[in-house]
Amino acid sequence: MADTLTTHGNGHAAHHGDYLDDPKGLASWLTTVDHKRIGLMYMWSVFFFFLVGGIFALLVRIELLTPKQTIMTAEMYNRVFTLHGAIMVFLVIIPAIPAALGNFALPLLLGAKDVAFPKLNLASLYVYWTGALMAVTTLALGGVDTGWTFYTPYSSTTGGGVTLMVLAAFVLGFSSIFTGVNFIATIHKLRAPGMGWFEMPLFCWGMYSTALIQILATPVLAITLLLLCMERVLSIGIFDPQLGGDPVLFQHFFWFYSHPAVYIMILPAFAVISEVIPTFSKKTIFGYKAIAFSSVAIALLGFLVWAHHMFTAGMSLFAGAIFSFITFFIAIPSAIKVFNWIATMWRGSISLEAPMLHAISFLLIFTIGGLTGLFLAALSTDVHLHDTYFVVSHFHYVMAGSNLIAFLAGIHYWWPKMFGRMYNKRLAAIGAALVFLGFNATFLPQFVLGSRGMPRRYYNYLPEFQSLHVASTIGSWILASGLFLIGAYLLASLRQPKSMVANPWGGRTLEWETDSPPTTHNFEGQPVLQHGPYDYRANPAPVGVEEHIH
Amino acid sequence: MSTATHTTSADHGHSPFLQHHFRDMDQQFNTAKIGMWLFLVTEILMFGGLFIGYGIMHASHPQAFLAAHHHLDRTMGAINTIVLLFSSFTMVMAIWAAQTSRKGLVILFLVITLLCAATFMGVKYSEYSHKFHEGLLPGKYYTHEGDTVPGQFLFFSFYFMMTGLHGIHVLLGMVVISWLIFRAVRGDFGPDYYGPLDVTGLYWHLVDLIWIYLFPLMYLIS
Ligand code: HEM
Ligand SMILES: [Cu+2]
């Protein structure tokens, strides 16, 4: 009996439609409450905005090719980098892994039929689209030139579409909160029978801690942005010093959200990497509990360090020293994870498939990004490095490099599960290499630029900085070509017939127990967990699947 | 090796309100409760931001806040506090009535709750229009004359932000309660199924609670 259960993989596809085709038609997608379809729609949206944000990035880099004007005016430049930042942060990096991959994979990994609140899930997608539409509309209103952080008092007085952009971020915050609420409830209540908290795949712990931050931090951003709108529309006087307000209050509020939010961007990356590394090392993850708890520790510690973004904003030396001190602690849980991943790979039988290639580039890039955080966390060096390209490079390493490369790892990992097709593995290896090289070529020079004093967000610069800027711009083209290549072979794979086996990578988590692509209801019955997620012993127990309930 | 385990849930197929991804009604009910609690946490944090902002501005402009709060009508505020507290009570009673299969009482208590909410909004309306009339408005729209302490508009900036956001929550609550009344009339609720009443109740208590903090903070400064 056990055999028929574990091989049930593709066998049933004939009489149960897979979720991609059953039911058919655009309307069925737009009204679906299936988490897998919602995940895919998020994924396509994120790809789209990644393209838009990426084009803005290339424009910024081209402008910086020469010390003086290259292709656009200074006003244009301000708008382009603001849109680049706002789109990438609010529309791409924050939703990429949780909303796209998380929605697709989380219920499958838990052995659940869906997330806890399927309708809320669909609502969050529509809220996302609404926010995205508002953000893009600001282009028609003359754009936004404040930078993605919307610092007051400039943001409360400058023209253009700032009010609409800020409202867009407010709306997008709700989408993020909905997803967070949904994931926490799902993890608490919908785990398969037999799956204790410590039998959950680590991806779920990552989503759980991300969701914690989403619900604890996003409301603070929401209210801050609302106050900023009121400031602009009614001059309520909260941030405007001329009316008795306090502009630094905005920074406190903003970073009380946005520092934890940087972990909204990195914890999901950890989550993906924790799945990919054991699968392609064929080894039980090293230090399961350390990885699980360090995610939660990061989520909570993240709330104590916001003011390290404001060392130079007129804080008292004492407060600065305290915040600097606590900031150093944040590095510890991340270091624990890196150690555990490397220990997992140690003496594993590693196969260098595309997801694993991205995971390895993640390890290198994240280490650089994390370590440079320490330079910024130290009060004395930050005074020199603050608002220079060093900071730009630091956060690109951790946000773009780590988050997006982990996203790519996850996409390549679950692609066969999502679509039942495999991409061209040769091209995938080339793509991973191009992204890694291009990324480092773009951002390593920026560390040097920053440490030599090149300020961020400047339109023109001194001629001696030019060679490094040129290197960085060329790097951006290599990066872009890698990403285009990846997009191309992924799309090309969709033209093949669906022929994927249930478990192409030999993974041990529940999503590999069902068809590729899964049926509409995920599993034939209710799976009951009989072994842990990283059980790579020679003869592990198979997962039992209950017979049809619904 | 493993064996497949059959669990035929007792509730399965019995309640038309069981959604397909839950195993039984209990699981569905508890999940909804967790969801609502999490949502309430976000609400508290959102209002928390406003409370902190209010506290900071109050600390830096104490005289202006003290002077400005005299323009608020304590009696109106007190009436609204009592009305909301009472509506929280009737909300609880509606849940109790559902648990004990008293359909008529469910409807009655929900209607009373809705009427209380409407009363609250009515009182707010008359307070607001009075303020509008006197030019006691936020920010640059503040035109009140004869103030002795400058900067009183800051108080009203917060007054309108906080009571306004709270008012929106009351309105939302009214929409949801009306929908509950509709479902109660249809006969959806009983001892086996009262989840929507329960989670709406949680929400309604929070709206009540926030007002209980707003009232002394704004109306009773000393
Ligand atoms: C792990 C993921 C991390 C992410 C996603 C991240 C993200 C960011 C971002 C977005 C900024 C710049 C914000 C801006 O001004 O536009 C930033 C700055 C900063 N980061 Fe990180 N960071 C991470 C890790 C760390 C670590 C581990 C530390 C310290 C141990 C750190 C310390 C800092 C400091 C002090 C700044 C402020 C620099 C300044 O503006 O002067 N970061 N980070
Ligand atoms: Cu930070």
Side-chain angles (χ1 to χ4, degrees), chain A residues 109-121:
Chain A
L109 286 161
L110 293 172
K113 282 205 170 65
D114 208 325
V115 292
F117 311 113
K119 284 184 202 147
L120 186 68
N121 205 16

Side-chain angles (χ1 to χ4, degrees), chain A residues 230-238 240 243-244, chain B residues 135-144 147 151-161:
Chain A
M230 292 298 148
E231 187 81 35
R232 284 179 65 85
V233 178
L234 307 172
S235 306
I236 54 176
I238 289 172
D240 187 346
L243 299 173
Chain B
L136 295 163
L137 287 161
K140 67 179 174 200
Y141 295 100
Y142 188 89
T143 51
H144 187 68
D147 285 346
Q152 297 196 25
F153 71 92
L154 271 174
F155 177 85
F156 284 95
S157 295
F158 276 102
Y159 172 79
F160 281 105
M161 283 287 294

Side-chain angles (χ1 to χ4, degrees), chain A residues 116 189 234 236 244 546 550, chain B residues 5 7 12 21 27 61 140 157:
Chain A
K189 287 288 162 200
L234 307 172
I236 54 176
E546 275 182 36
H550 289 283
Chain B
T5 339
T7 36
H12 178 62
H21 59 298
Q27 192 192 26
H61 308 273
K140 67 179 174 200
S157 295

Side-chain angles (χ1 to χ4, degrees), chain A residues 441-477:
Chain A
T442 311
F443 293 104
L444 272 178
Q446 297 188 6
F447 281 125
V448 185
L449 275 173
S451 63
R452 293 192 187 159
M454 165 80 206
R456 74 192 282 200
R457 294 180 175 168
Y458 273 35
Y459 172 65
N460 288 340
Y461 53 81
L462 297 175
E464 64 251 39
F465 291 134
Q466 191 177 9
S467 51
L468 287 165
H469 272 299
V470 170
S472 180
T473 301
I474 293 174
S476 71
W477 295 336

Side-chain angles (χ1 to χ4, degrees), chain A residues 335-397:
Chain A
I336 292 178
K337 281 179 198 286
V338 173
F339 174 77
N340 282 316
W341 290 320
I342 293 173
T344 304
M345 289 161 64
W346 185 256
R347 303 222 168 132
S349 51
I350 293 176
S351 50
L352 291 178
E353 301 279 1
M356 189 63 169
L357 290 175
H358 285 292
I360 293 169
S361 54
F362 167 90
L363 283 179
L364 294 166
I365 284 174
F366 175 68
T367 305
I368 297 176
L371 287 178
T372 51
L374 295 172
F375 292 80
L376 301 172
L379 205 51
S380 48
T381 34
D382 184 64
V383 172
H384 176 65
L385 295 172
H386 176 69
D387 271 350
T388 68
Y389 264 75
F390 192 91
V391 174
V392 176
S393 195
H394 159 68
F395 71 74
H396 277 88
Y397 263 84

Side-chain angles (χ1 to χ4, degrees), chain A residues 1-2 5 113-118 174 177 181 184-185 188-193 215-216 219-220 222-223 226-227 230 233-238 243-246 249 253 521 526 528 530 542-547 549-550, chain B residues 1-9 12 18-23 27-28 30-36 38-39 41-43 45-50 52-53 56-57 60-61 138-141 151 153-154 157-158 161 165:
Chain A
M1 177 138 202
L5 288 169
K113 282 205 170 65
D114 208 325
V115 292
F117 311 113
F174 278 97
I177 289 178
V181 166
I184 294 185
H188 270 274
K189 287 288 162 200
L190 293 181
R191 299 194 308 275
I215 64 166
L216 293 177
V220 181
I223 204 67
L226 208 59
L227 286 171
M230 292 298 148
V233 178
L234 307 172
S235 306
I236 54 176
I238 289 172
L243 299 173
D246 181 356
L249 184 62
F253 275 165
H521 291 299
Q526 168 66 67
V528 178
Q530 316 227 342
V543 174
V545 179
E546 275 182 36
E547 250 154 58
I549 301 188
H550 289 283
Chain B
M1 282 292 214
S2 76
T3 39
T5 339
H6 280 271
T7 36
T8 29
S9 92
H12 178 62
L18 181 66
Q19 291 171 298
H20 86 283
H21 59 298
F22 292 113
R23 284 189 285 276
Q27 192 192 26
Q28 175 169 319
N30 292 330
T31 309
K33 264 192 125 144
I34 288 192
M36 184 48 89
L38 291 169
F39 174 68
V41 168
T42 68
E43 292 280 72
L45 285 160
M46 190 156 91
F47 276 98
L50 281 176
I52 290 171
I56 289 170
M57 285 296 146
S60 55
H61 308 273
K140 67 179 174 200
Y141 295 100
F153 71 92
L154 271 174
S157 295
F158 276 102
M161 283 287 294
L165 197 62

Side-chain angles (χ1 to χ4, degrees), chain A residues 50 103 155 253 264 337 348 401 408 469 480 528:
Chain A
F50 186 44
N103 255 324
S155 61
F253 275 165
I264 295 180
K337 281 179 198 286
L408 290 177
H469 272 299
V528 178

